[in-house]
Amino acid sequence: MRTFDLTPLYRSTVGFDRVFDLLDTVGKAETGGYPPYNIERLDEDDYRVTLAVAGFSEDELDVELHENTLTVTGSRGEADEGRTFLYQGIAGRSFQRRFQLAEHVKVAGASLVNGLLNIELQREIPESAKPRKISISGEKAGNVKILKDADAA
């Protein structure tokens, strides 16, 4: 896999640290696929992240948002001590999943239903960042002097 050295760009730019951090993490895939998850777009500004967390209770799950990084952590105690499994196909190990959120995306809520953790996300663009119409004011037609070909030369 190729790696890129972004050090020269750090010297000549100011305020783009977050962009460079994102570029650094693009090539680094998360190890493991546990727990499986879905990301849905419900409409233009609403999203949902759903994680399959069978066997976890609300007390064992933690959802945290810090600097546009959504972190979901599940920690299980050793409740299976003393139990003998002939076959154990239901994964119940601890995990940590991270999702990079775009700017202005906020967590609207989270719910645990039937072993699925649903995290509702909403994009809220502030008024100052939305496109706005700029009015064009012109001069009155009486103040405009029209030049003829002979006058222009």
Side-chain angles (χ1 to χ4, degrees):
M1 178 174 195
R2 293 182 184 178
T3 58
F4 297 100
D5 184 19
L6 301 175
T7 307
L9 294 175
Y10 283 114
R11 290 189 298 245
S12 62
T13 60
V14 176
F16 290 94
D17 300 342
R18 177 153 167 68
V19 174
F20 296 134
D21 290 342
L22 286 173
L23 288 173
D24 283 340
T25 59
V26 164
K28 300 175 185 173
E30 246 183 69
T31 58
Y34 180 76
Y37 64 92
N38 292 337
I39 300 175
E40 299 175 71
R41 183 176 190 171
L42 304 175
D43 60 33
E44 190 170 329
D45 291 326
D46 295 318
Y47 303 87
R48 179 184 299 139
V49 177
T50 304
L51 288 94
V53 291
F56 284 87
S57 67
E58 292 176 18
D59 298 335
E60 297 169 328
L61 296 170
D62 185 38
V63 179
E64 182 179 313
L65 179 63
H66 180 67
E67 295 181 1
N68 292 351
T69 300
L70 176 67
T71 305
V72 181
T73 307
S75 57
R76 298 272 315 250
E78 295 298 324
D80 294 337
E81 270 183 39
R83 297 172 70 183
T84 304
F85 290 97
L86 298 177
Y87 173 77
Q88 186 174 7
I90 300 173
R93 61 187 178 270
S94 298
F95 67 89
Q96 184 176 45
R97 272 269 185 213
R98 293 176 193 232
F99 300 93
Q100 290 294 323
L101 301 182
E103 299 233 2
H104 311 300
V105 174
K106 308 293 180 209
V107 177
S111 62
L112 182 64
V113 179
N114 296 329
L116 296 175
L117 176 64
N118 297 302
I119 303 168
E120 306 296 330
L121 304 172
Q122 187 172 38
R123 182 173 52 187
E124 297 175 354
I125 300 174
E127 288 297 321
S128 61
K130 289 182 181 177
R132 59 179 190 225
K133 185 81 170 172
I134 307 297
S135 62
I136 301 172
S137 60
E139 295 183 31
K140 293 182 180 178
N143 296 338
V144 177
K145 185 177 181 183
I146 300 175
L147 298 175
K148 297 186 181 180
D149 291 338
D151 295 337

